[in-house]
Amino acid sequence: MPGPFSILLAVLAPMLCGAGGLLLPRRLIGARVGLALLGPVVALLLLGTAIAQHGLDGVILSAPWMPEVNLNIAFHLDRLGLFFALLVAGIGVLIVTYARAYFGPNPDDLYRFYPSLGLFMTAMLGLVLSDNFILLLLFWEMTSISSFLLIGWERDDPKAVKNALQAFIVTGTGGLCLLAGLILLGVITGAWAFSELSPQLITPDGLTIAAFVLIFVGAAGKSAQWPLHFWLPGAMAAPTPVSAYLHSATMVKAGVYLIGRLWPLLAVAIPLWPALIVPFGTVTMVLGAYIALRKSDLKQIFAYTTVSQLGLLMTMYGLSALEFKNQPNLIWDISQILNHALYKAPLFLLAGAIAHVAHTRELPELKGLYHQGGQARIMAGLMILAGYALAAGPLTVSFSAKEFFFYQIWHGYEATHHPGFFILVAAGVATGMFNVAIFVRLTRVLLGSSEVKPAQPPHPPGHDVHGQHDYRAPLTAGLLEQAHAQDDGQMDTHGHGGHAHGHGGHGHHDHHEAGFWPTMLWVPAALVIAVQYIGGIIPGAWEALFGRIEAGRFYFSHFPMTWDAHLGVPLGMSVAAMVLGLLLGFAPVFTRTIRDIHDGIFPAFYTASTQGGGWAFRLVQTGNARTYLAVIFVSMIVLIIYALLAGPKAVIAGWHDIIEDDHFRRAAPEYFIGAVVCFAAILLPIVKDRASRILVLGTVGFGVAGLFYLYQAPDLALTQISIEIVSLFLFLLVLGLLPQATFGRAMRFGPRLVISVLAGGLIGWLALTSSSGPRPPMPYLKADTQEPFAHLGEFFLRNSYEGRDGERGGGGGNVVNVILVDFRGYDTLGEIVVLGLAALGVWTLLRRRTLHQSTRALRLNLDEHHARQHAHHRPARSHVPERSDGA
Amino acid sequence: MSTIILRTACRLLVPLSLLFAAFIYFKGHQTPGGGFVGGLVVAVALIVHRMAFGRASLRHLIHVRERSLIAVGLLLAAGTAIVPLFLGIPFFTSTYGYLPLPGTDEKFEWATVMVFDLGVVLVVAGVVVGMINALTEELE
């Protein structure tokens, strides 16, 4: 396959394999897992082939897609992109395996899960490999959509749906900002791909800075930067495989990836770069680590440490702009990112695994898990090892990574001597301290003295809900749902037990499996943690495994490991963080759980927007068709008159040509048909009966069809006749559904007459002038005579059958059809899509209308108690009057 | 509306209309006609059939739901646009050629956009029949 298409196939493979799984019979679990594995494996193989062929030095493989709108299938095979792609596909393999163990041998869950996961993998692979801006945006939006499906996995749980919506709206809004930012950047620089962009093209003027700010907002939304970070802990409502995949290794890194992609291009050129990124990153970093310490649910703790780590990575890229003694202040950034994936993914995987065997993820209830033996002992041990990496203890890659970050801060200070760096130093130490404290507390609980679990385990203050959960039957019953229900525990205010067993897709927790698959709950985690320690203890191993992906490795002979840490301030910061963290871990402060105050942002926004929307709806939707038409026509009249007064005068000059035009002098049957049409049109408002009006309207339509025929446009005549027949049917049917009475206050006759005459007169006059006035010359030249075309029609006529003017021909004698399906094929494609959507809309509306009385549409309501109290007597807010005999 | 006159006329008119629709679709690239009109004629024929013989009979005649027609139509249209990409030429590039008709000297001129046009036929027919069907059901 030529160039980009093997990469395109690698990108699409997970999605295709996932979709293929839908065709398999539900019972074939083995085949389904195999097919789902095939996706990332094919991607890995194809990417490996590409690396072998092109190396790591940023080959661009490109094919035109829609060059007119700067959209090309262009992939950039450089270190950063390939690293992310390999990470996505590699961890993807582990997640597919883990998901099989997590969901158990239940056909329904896997049937639904793997296609969504495949879609997400494809989106992520495409995102990190795209070179073209627009292509990147397509995949960016795809990650938002597919993560919505995955986060809202428990689709019967209103809280999961709410959290999915929250994640979607935050990342989607960020995506819109990114769209604006990248398009602005493309328009300013003329470069529509990362590889075309260079620092020389960037001038730090207002527009470029606006573009950069918009891009940063998009990246910050996706990568959960304060104050938009709240969606990430909320997204923990997803099943653990999703959390481990999306929220540790892949999706939340998309924003970091984007900033990492842009820093060599923009960091030095735009002075705002460090000033904007570093503060937000730092606040996120400290705040995330602090809240993590004050959470009790394992997934919540790790979610907030992820937020913290994302803040750290952003800060790292923010500091990259500060060069010092001609040495870049950013090296080994990929190792920094990889390091996070290497301890965070195992932590999430193990959190899910522990919930599987211990039936809870609340930290206080896991006391002494290590002493329970068997699987629990392995998992607890592995979690302590991974937690040690979270704390950035010596002998892990994480330690070196944190050292590097501290070094970077100090380096930045030396470069600028800005006093703000002392805040940064304190923030770095504080973050390290919180992480160490989290590890200490985690270890203390897991290794604590084993005790018999009380029937009603003690709850930390603020956790009044979970006492309702049933712990009577360990190893049976769908206890995992309870673990799900405890997601985001402090907000969980509804009893969950009843629903957990209610719906069909959840028979899978009813028994534990034995044999191979349960070990898959912890084996993927163990494999990943091993890399942390191997890399931390043997620097050469890390160098051999991952050295090649670092462009900056030439500045140092190898990744500075434990034994040659930077003496001086960075090491001092590390030591301070560890000592303080140990003290904090054992100190009886910060032990109560708190809720993140930012959790209120989205509900407030949601309420404001729905209420504002309702207010606007009541303002605009009066229910009176005449008012709507009047608004539309008045706007149109104003716009046309404005254009005539302010626009080029050429339009007005056409009047003379109309009088001179041949057609007007020619006595012809069209006068007769024209008179009929006019007569029918005047009759229209006079006739009162609706059915008669439709017939009169039909007369107008058929008359126009006759005119088309006389003017030698049989195509138009044929279409017009068919349309008239169909709309006759439609009108007659719709009439039967319309109420007889009119609603709302009717407008008076005078204004209506003025609006009608103005609108009709202007449109008629525009139609006349636009078809006979002089036109601006066409930019195209005729190939044989080199003269410009007089109008577009001439161009189409010459090129309809075979191309004569440098254009390829459409191969059709019927120029109208060639225009529709070939020259203007895009338009037609768009039109039929709109047509299909309109039909779907009609169906949905009619269905809702029919269902209205019997069932009420599922409404998402943030205040569930409120919903429960009022759900059965909420008044219908419909302004469409219901016929009592309807349906 | 189902009178014996309509039913009798329908038996003759519906096949003829469908034939005519096929004719204007195939000739559409060279002479007046095309996918949009073709789709409308198909839709009118099917609606008349529905009026004469009822909904069950229409279901029996075309076997598929209208929304499937729309989906297949959109897939065909989008597919025509996308396939050139995999041959390394821009989106929506079309081509045409000639197919000798056996037994005559005539040649049928085909074009890849005819697939696109077929998509238009299906979407238009699906939308019109589907909407009218839904509205009629609402009334019945």
Side-chain angles (χ1 to χ4, degrees), chain A residues 76 78 80 131 133 182 185 189 191 193-204 208 212 215 258-271 273 320-321:
Chain A
H76 192 178
D78 74 336
L80 185 68
D131 186 38
F133 289 168
L182 280 180
L185 194 64
T189 59
F194 294 113
S195 57
E196 293 168 18
L197 206 60
S198 68
Q200 286 79 39
L201 287 171
I202 312 283
T203 45
T208 313
F212 161 63
I215 292 173
L258 188 70
I259 297 298
R261 171 65 81 204
L262 286 172
W263 82 264
L265 305 165
L266 301 183
V268 180
I270 296 181
W273 179 278
S320 66

Side-chain angles (χ1 to χ4, degrees), chain B residues 19 25 42 50 73 80 90 102 131 137:
Chain B
L19 202 63
Y25 159 70
V42 170
R50 190 202 189 286
T80 322
M131 278 199 197
E137 267 162 41

Side-chain angles (χ1 to χ4, degrees), chain A residues 5 65 801 811 813-814 822 849, chain B residues 28 30 85 91 94 98 109 138:
Chain A
F5 293 105
W65 183 352
Y801 194 78
N814 176 5
D822 200 324
R849 200 174 170 282
Chain B
Q30 302 300 334
L85 276 183
F91 195 57
S94 68
Y98 300 91
E109 189 192 338
E138 188 71 17

Side-chain angles (χ1 to χ4, degrees), chain A residues 35-156:
Chain A
L35 193 63
L37 272 177
L38 190 66
V41 168
V42 166
L44 281 174
L45 289 177
L46 284 172
L47 287 174
T49 324
I51 292 171
Q53 204 178 343
H54 303 290
L56 290 164
D57 294 320
V59 173
I60 314 287
L61 299 172
S62 164
W65 183 352
M66 290 192 247
E68 292 84 0
V69 294
N70 303 307
L71 173 57
N72 295 310
I73 302 177
F75 293 111
H76 192 178
L77 299 183
D78 74 336
R79 290 187 166 84
L80 185 68
L82 281 171
F83 157 72
F84 268 103
L86 295 178
L87 185 74
V88 166
I91 295 195
V93 170
L94 295 181
I95 296 292
V96 168
T97 324
Y98 176 82
R100 165 64 182 83
Y102 180 87
F103 285 114
N106 179 291
D108 292 328
D109 274 347
L110 294 176
Y111 179 80
R112 193 153 72 88
F113 183 74
Y114 283 141
S116 316
L117 189 72
L119 183 68
F120 176 77
M121 264 187 232
T122 288
M124 220 37 230
L125 285 172
L127 196 160
V128 297
L129 290 172
S130 299
D131 186 38
N132 183 283
F133 289 168
I134 315 262
L135 193 65
L136 175 107
L137 284 164
L138 288 179
F139 286 116
W140 186 279
E141 293 302 315
M142 225 167 119
T143 60
S144 296
I145 293 167
S146 53
S147 66
F148 171 77
L149 295 174
L150 288 169
I151 296 167
W153 174 257
E154 301 282 343
R155 51 187 172 187
D156 298 314

Side-chain angles (χ1 to χ4, degrees), chain A residues 490-573:
Chain A
Q490 75 285 352
M491 286 180 66
D492 191 354
T493 50
H494 62 284
H496 209 285
H499 132 85
H501 302 275
H503 54 97
H506 281 272
H508 58 290
H509 306 300
D510 287 344
H511 53 91
H512 277 272
E513 281 182 279
F516 170 70
W517 286 110
T519 60
M520 281 298 127
L521 280 172
W522 54 266
V523 169
L527 290 175
V528 177
I529 299 171
V531 182
Q532 266 280 354
Y533 284 89
I534 293 170
I537 296 169
I538 315 164
W542 183 268
E543 168 76 24
L545 282 172
F546 302 110
R548 276 171 53 98
I549 57 174
E550 292 284 3
R553 68 193 174 115
F554 306 108
Y555 293 103
F556 290 91
S557 57
H558 57 79
F559 196 57
M561 290 299 132
T562 312
W563 358 92
D564 54 2
H566 289 271
L567 293 174
V569 176
L571 190 61
M573 286 167 72

